């Protein structure tokens, strides 16, 4: 079992940057594929980024590609989401999630473990 604790959200002006962190408990963090999702008010939770068990495989939604970077430090049991050139439409609650599925999966039902979420607000 994995417990995920997120941090790093906040209020930022458009064009600014934030880095989210997601710390995982347990000794098997490196065996999980990790993803970030977000949910804006009144909208469904959507895929943002995913990283494989090592740092070699990453995949992004079209809306964040080129602006966001996902990475992980397995020695620290932590995954990061660096968000640059933020836009007001990036405003949402951001969730990290873990899956045992050893593939690039972007649907919420594939993820068994979820963090509590962290609010990101981008002002125009």
């Amino acid at each position: 079992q994995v417990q995920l604790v997120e941090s790093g959200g906040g209020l930022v002006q458009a064009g600014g940057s934030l880095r989210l962190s997601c710390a995982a408990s347990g000794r098997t963090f490196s065996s999980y594929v990790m993803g970030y999702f977000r949910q804006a008010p009144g909208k469904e939770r959507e895929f943002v980024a995913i990283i494989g068990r090592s740092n070699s495989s990453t995949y992004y939604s079209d809306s964040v590609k080129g602006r966001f970077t996902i990475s992980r430090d397995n020695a620290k049991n932590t995954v990061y989401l660096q968000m640059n050139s933020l836009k007001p439409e990036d405003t949402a609650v951001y969730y990290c999630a873990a899956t045992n599925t050893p593939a690039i999966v972007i649907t919420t039902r594939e993820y068994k473990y979820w963090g509590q979420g962290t609010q990101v607000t981008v002002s125009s």
Side-chain angles (χ1 to χ4, degrees):
Q1 188 163 349
V2 176
Q3 290 186 324
L4 305 173
V5 179
E6 303 173 40
S7 60
L11 173 64
V12 65
Q13 288 188 332
S17 298
L18 282 174
R19 188 175 84 153
L20 306 183
S21 299
C22 174
S25 65
R27 294 182 236 175
T28 59
F29 174 72
S30 61
S31 68
Y32 291 93
V33 171
M34 299 297 296
Y36 265 98
F37 292 76
R38 67 186 181 186
Q39 189 166 18
K43 295 188 176 181
E44 292 187 354
R45 194 168 298 188
E46 65 173 5
F47 166 76
V48 174
I50 187 174
I51 187 165
R53 294 170 177 173
S54 66
N55 274 311
S56 60
S57 298
T58 58
Y59 182 75
Y60 300 91
S61 68
D62 288 343
S63 60
V64 307
K65 196 176 300 181
R67 301 188 296 122
F68 290 12
T69 302
I70 189 170
S71 63
R72 66 190 296 164
D73 185 337
N74 287 339
K76 295 183 178 180
N77 281 12
T78 302
V79 62
Y80 305 97
L81 185 69
Q82 178 67 43
M83 306 185 295
N84 298 329
S85 302
L86 282 161
K87 305 175 181 180
E89 51 263 45
D90 294 318
T91 295
V93 176
Y94 283 71
Y95 298 89
C96 68
T99 178
N100 287 315
T101 303
I104 299 296
V105 289
I106 64 172
T107 55
T108 56
R109 65 177 181 270
E110 295 286 348
Y111 289 80
K112 185 175 182 180
Y113 304 106
W114 291 84
Q116 81 283 4
T118 187
Q119 177 70 46
V120 171
T121 303
V122 185
S123 64
S124 57

